[in-house]
């Protein structure tokens, strides 16, 4: 595997379900990010991790719970989501959290019924 | 507050025609500037970036962009568009200082349609 991978690519869940999104980067980076991309809206930064430590939580509702066990893996745990949470969730990584290029995964298309 | 504006939501060009996608930013100093492309169902791929130096930067797939400080712009250009260039294009800026160091601010994107 190369670059940034995300699984699953598509996910359909009910509002009472619990699911997790996984991201893995194979680039040796130490910073990882979760973004939400909704139709007709700019990309929204959700969380930033640097060396496994969360450095930014952009006022994300608690029904989204990130986890970063090491610099290569990032998870987004989902529970009791709302239909408006349906979106493309993108993971990215970079070498440090300075003004560096971010490398994006293909995203997980989430549909909440 | 920092902001990125892409004034064109949707642009349609014929294959072989030239292309210019506009991007303006709001920030007091020179930011770090990026253009990303997103094909349907895919993540974002970096086309090019500007950090400093020559204000005309070359990227992948034949794209180039020019940083104009006086206009706070970073427009993306391609002399001859191919059908495979149909995608959504995002301009982004990152700051070089302050509490939001490194955070990428994205524009809303420009959807490019290419007619054969």
């Amino acid at each position: 595997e190369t670059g940034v991978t995300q699984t699953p690519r598509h996910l359909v869940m009910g509002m009472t379900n619990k699911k997790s999104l996984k991201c893995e980067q194979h680039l040796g980076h130490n910073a990882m990010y979760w973004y939400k991309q909704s139709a007709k809206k700019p990309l929204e930064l959700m969380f930033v991790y640097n060396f496994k430590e969360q450095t930014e939580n952009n006022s994300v509702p608690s029904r989204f719970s990130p986890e970063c066990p090491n610099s290569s893996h990032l998870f987004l745990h989902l529970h009791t989501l709302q239909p408006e949470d349906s979106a493309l969730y993108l993971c990215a990584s970079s070498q440090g959290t300075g003004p560096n290029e971010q490398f994006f995964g293909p995203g997980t298309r989430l549909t909440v019924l | 507050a920092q902001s990125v504006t892409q004034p064109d939501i949707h642009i349609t060009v014929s294959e072989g025609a030239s292309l210019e996608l506009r991007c303006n930013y709001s920030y007091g100093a020179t930011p770090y500037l990026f253009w990303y492309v997103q094909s349907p169902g895919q993540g974002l791929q970096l086309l090019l970036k500007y950090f400093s130096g020559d204000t005309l930067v070359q990227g992948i797939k034949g794209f180039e962009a020019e940083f104009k400080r006086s206009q706070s712009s970073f427009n993306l250009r391609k002399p001859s568009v191919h059908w495979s260039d149909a995608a959504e294009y995002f301009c982004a800026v990152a700051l070089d200082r302050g509490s939001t160091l490194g955070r990428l601010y994205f524009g809303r994107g420009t959807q490019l349609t290419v007619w054969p």
Side-chain angles (χ1 to χ4, degrees):
Chain A
E1 292 278 14
T2 59
V4 181
T5 57
Q6 291 187 243
T7 55
R9 293 294 309 276
H10 300 272
L11 178 62
V12 179
M13 59 186 290
M15 289 191 287
T16 58
N17 291 159
K18 289 186 179 181
K19 296 287 184 183
S20 295
L21 310 184
K22 179 183 176 182
C23 174
E24 184 173 1
Q25 59 95 1
H26 310 267
L27 300 168
H29 292 162
N30 47 40
M32 297 187 77
Y33 310 78
W34 278 117
Y35 288 87
K36 176 183 179 182
Q37 186 177 32
S38 306
K40 309 302 181 185
K41 294 177 69 175
L43 272 78
E44 301 173 60
L45 178 64
M46 301 175 71
F47 301 103
V48 180
Y49 277 82
N50 190 28
F51 287 105
K52 304 186 300 178
E53 299 297 321
Q54 187 179 120
T55 58
E56 186 161 352
N57 176 338
N58 198 25
S59 302
V60 180
S62 59
R63 57 185 184 269
F64 294 91
S65 175
E67 178 190 0
C68 188
N70 55 61
S71 294
S72 298
H73 294 85
L74 184 64
F75 295 89
L76 189 62
H77 304 299
L78 316 171
H79 62 99
T80 60
L81 294 192
Q82 305 297 311
E84 59 265 30
D85 297 322
S86 299
L88 182 68
Y89 288 85
L90 293 165
C91 174
S93 70
S94 68
Q95 187 56 46
T97 53
N100 298 314
E101 172 188 353
Q102 292 180 18
F103 292 78
F104 285 80
T108 295
R109 173 65 63 186
L110 173 67
T111 302
V112 182
L113 301 177
Chain B
Q2 298 76 28
S3 67
V4 181
T5 303
Q6 293 181 247
D8 304 305
I9 296 173
H10 195 173
I11 283 182
T12 300
V13 299
S14 298
E15 191 170 18
S18 63
L19 173 70
E20 182 170 33
L21 303 182
R22 295 182 291 167
C23 173
N24 293 93
Y25 64 89
S26 171
Y27 178 52
T30 301
Y32 295 77
L33 299 159
F34 306 81
W35 273 101
Y36 284 86
V37 61
Q38 185 179 33
S39 298
Q42 300 298 316
L44 278 69
Q45 180 185 21
L46 182 72
L47 285 175
L48 47 77
K49 60 188 177 186
Y50 172 79
F51 283 6
S52 64
D54 192 346
T55 56
L56 183 64
V57 294
Q58 302 297 320
I60 62 171
K61 305 184 180 186
F63 285 92
E64 66 178 27
E66 185 172 14
F67 168 59
K68 292 186 176 180
R69 185 190 308 273
S70 61
Q71 299 176 18
S72 296
S73 69
F74 189 56
N75 294 348
L76 182 71
R77 300 193 295 248
K78 186 169 185 178
S80 178
V81 171
H82 188 262
W83 64 266
S84 60
D85 293 324
E88 190 154 22
Y89 292 79
F90 293 92
C91 180
V93 303
L95 308 184
D96 65 345
R97 65 195 67 182
S99 62
T100 54
L101 175 68
R103 178 176 178 173
L104 282 183
Y105 294 84
F106 285 89
R108 288 180 172 266
T110 297
Q111 182 68 48
L112 175 65
T113 298
V114 180
W115 283 358

